[in-house]
Amino acid sequence: MRVSNEEKERSRQRILAAAGRLFRERGIEGASVGDIMGAAGMTHGGFYRHFAGKEDLLAAAISEAFAAFARPLAEAPSGEAAQAFRDRYLSQAHRAAPGEGCPAAALGADVARASPALRAAFGAGVAQVAGGLAGDGGTEARQGALRDLSLMVGAMVLARACPDDLAAEILAACAARPA
Amino acid sequence: MRVSNEEKERSRQRILAAAGRLFRERGIEGASVGDIMGAAGMTHGGFYRHFAGKEDLLAAAISEAFAAFARPLAEAPSGEAAQAFRDRYLSQAHRAAPGEGCPAAALGADVARASPALRAAFGAGVAQVAGGLAGDGGTEARQGALRDLSLMVGAMVLARACPDDLAAEILAACAARPA
DNA sequence: TGTACATCAGTGAACGCGCGTTCACTGATGTAC
DNA sequence: TGTACATCAGTGAACGCGCGTTCACTGATGTAC
């Protein structure tokens, strides 16, 4: 049965939110279209009324996830926000909750093997986060932001893949000197 | 037809080498048992004479890949080897050849979602590389090595997932100040 | 050292399963008059 | 504003495909005597 235009838009947002969480939690291949639609409260068949296919959804979910993840950086005074962002990033809470965490740490390796279109969307997200970290500084600030982000992404990738004690050591080592 | 014990061992090594390359190039799910056996010059059926299953092979391939990747760090004087390692790590050549590159950058995100046994093997590999970077320094050297490795892994994950120009910027920014 | 036989590495067909996508169908919504 | 009809969001069955794993089979290798 057809639903109203407003409800359709709400459905689309639910699918996007579920995709953003499940892709980050399980990886691109680990989250099926059926899983995502189920998490959004629907069956799989209606998916193609909203997206052209899984890759189309993935691109939209990545853009949305990066925008949400970078939001705190744009909303507060530059220096404070950046430091709060770093502290949150290198926490055990972030390690334990990839579904709400950094899209780069969760999906970077998958995107590396994906289409140029996806990599463009991913690159735009990375630039967005780096821009937020750099504030309105110049070239050097941007360089520093890219270095900071690399350190954080690497620390989180390693921490999630390592046993708990080594993970704690990695996060502490990277938090110790904020580059 | 049965083959000799020596040839069986050579087959096992070919499977391990092919797995190490294909897992890093395509990810854990992207490299099938059939692909790997084909790359090793055999058909898929014989696989189970060598390994209990795909996960067993993956653990062995990860250990082998980390050992080979860390080898240059153990074979040369500590300071020189570490600097050469960093330069090679943050290069375009490494970005373009994941199959022969750092297992942590290529497989970290996949291993984060895998079994504790796999994460233990991965953690041992990470510790091996960090140990090679730290040389025979103390706690502080190990902290620094974990930070260095995090920076390198993050830079490579981001560089591979981003378009070429942003990737070059990331690698240059991280090479500029070797933490 | 020879011989007879058990072992087993590798082959290729087959299995059950979950995937992304397609499709006929439904009935409430949107729209042209 | 009402009405008649076209649209289309969502359902659930079905598709073709590739996956990891199993299995009967083969014949050269390993081994007990």
Side-chain angles (χ1 to χ4, degrees), chain A residues 2-3 11 43-46 49-50:
Chain A
R2 189 174 183 175
V3 305
S11 294
T43 57
H44 64 282
R49 303 283 175 188
H50 292 279

Side-chain angles (χ1 to χ4, degrees), chain B residues 2-3 11 43-46 49-50:
Chain B
R2 190 174 180 177
V3 304
S11 293
T43 57
H44 64 282
R49 302 285 175 186
H50 293 279

Side-chain angles (χ1 to χ4, degrees), chain A residues 161-163 166, chain B residues 66 111 118-128:
Chain A
C162 287
L166 181 52
Chain B
F66 267 114
V111 171
L118 268 176
R119 295 168 63 215
F122 185 93
V126 168
Q128 197 174 1

Side-chain angles (χ1 to χ4, degrees), chain A residues 20-128:
Chain A
R21 183 169 58 82
L22 290 180
F23 280 140
R24 279 179 280 186
E25 281 176 3
R26 307 185 190 172
I28 295 178
E29 314 230 277
S32 73
V33 170
D35 291 340
I36 292 166
M37 290 299 284
M42 298 159 68
T43 57
H44 64 282
F47 171 70
Y48 297 89
R49 303 283 175 188
H50 292 279
F51 297 96
K54 191 179 182 181
E55 173 158 338
D56 182 29
L57 167 64
L58 182 57
I62 284 179
S63 296
E64 169 65 26
F66 267 115
F69 191 67
R71 201 159 291 142
L73 286 172
E75 281 173 352
S78 174
E80 278 176 46
Q83 190 52 51
F85 183 88
R86 273 188 280 262
D87 292 343
R88 237 181 312 116
Y89 198 113
L90 293 171
S91 68
Q92 287 289 347
H94 185 198
R95 175 175 182 249
E100 282 79 41
C102 178
L107 297 175
D110 282 348
V111 172
R113 303 170 197 120
S115 71
L118 268 178
R119 295 169 62 215
F122 185 93
V126 168
Q128 196 175 359

Side-chain angles (χ1 to χ4, degrees), chain B residues 46-136:
Chain B
F47 172 71
Y48 297 88
R49 302 285 175 186
H50 293 279
F51 297 96
K54 191 178 183 182
E55 172 158 339
D56 183 30
L57 167 64
L58 182 57
I62 283 178
S63 296
E64 168 66 26
F66 267 114
F69 191 67
R71 202 158 291 143
L73 286 172
E75 281 173 351
S78 174
E80 278 176 45
Q83 190 52 52
F85 182 89
R86 274 188 279 261
D87 291 343
R88 236 180 313 115
Y89 199 113
L90 293 169
S91 69
Q92 287 289 345
H94 185 199
R95 175 175 183 249
E100 282 78 39
C102 177
L107 296 175
D110 282 347
V111 171
R113 302 170 198 121
S115 71
L118 268 176
R119 295 168 63 215
F122 185 93
V126 168
Q128 197 174 1
V129 175
L133 282 171
D136 37 13

Side-chain angles (χ1 to χ4, degrees), chain A residues 159-177:
Chain A
R160 287 191 179 137
C162 287
D164 292 350
D165 50 350
L166 181 52
E169 213 186 336
I170 291 165
L171 293 181
C174 290
R177 188 215 286 175

